[in-house]
Amino acid sequence: QVQLVESGGGLVQAGESLRLSCAASNSIISIIFMGWYRQAPGKQRELVARVTRAGNTIYADSVKGRFTISGDNAKNTVYLQMNNLKPEDTAVYYCIARVASGNIYDYWGQGTQVTVSS
């Protein structure tokens, strides 16, 4: 079983930065990728960014050039550095870990609120 704990959300003004952290309770050896989704009120949950064990990354077009995803293997933690935040980035951000443990399974964090004001 994998538990994901997110932190780093908050309230900032447009143009400022935040860094989200997501710590996994188990070794990442079985993790296919970790990443972040977000969901704004009235909208569907969407992929923000993800990174595989090999370091391959995928970003939503809306965050390319502004967000950077990275990991710390020793801490079993994934980070999302969010620069030049915009009001449209306001959402609850959810950490995801896709794990291969016999079956492939997705684990989700509880979510952390990011609010960006104009």
Side-chain angles (χ1 to χ4, degrees):
Q1 295 296 123
V2 175
Q3 285 80 48
L4 304 177
V5 179
E6 304 128 321
S7 63
L11 173 63
V12 297
Q13 291 186 317
E16 295 181 341
S17 298
L18 285 171
R19 189 176 76 158
L20 305 183
S21 299
C22 176
S25 62
N26 295 112
S27 172
I28 63 172
I29 190 170
S30 65
I31 297 176
I32 298 171
F33 67 76
M34 294 184 69
W36 295 89
Y37 282 69
R38 67 187 181 187
Q39 187 166 25
K43 297 183 179 179
Q44 294 183 323
R45 188 173 297 189
E46 64 177 0
L47 174 70
V48 178
R50 69 187 196 188
V51 59
T52 69
R53 289 180 58 201
N56 303 119
T57 57
I58 296 174
Y59 294 93
D61 288 342
S62 60
V63 307
K64 287 180 179 177
R66 299 188 298 121
F67 292 10
T68 302
I69 190 167
S70 61
D72 185 334
N73 190 53
K75 296 182 179 180
N76 292 336
T77 300
V78 168
Y79 305 96
L80 185 68
Q81 179 67 43
M82 304 185 293
N83 296 329
N84 191 25
L85 282 160
K86 302 176 179 180
E88 51 263 44
D89 296 318
T90 295
V92 177
Y93 284 68
Y94 296 92
C95 183
I96 182 173
R98 179 161 290 177
V99 177
S101 181
N103 297 322
I104 296 175
Y105 195 84
D106 289 344
Y107 292 89
W108 295 90
Q110 294 185 161
T112 184
Q113 177 70 47
V114 172
T115 303
V116 185
S117 62
S118 299

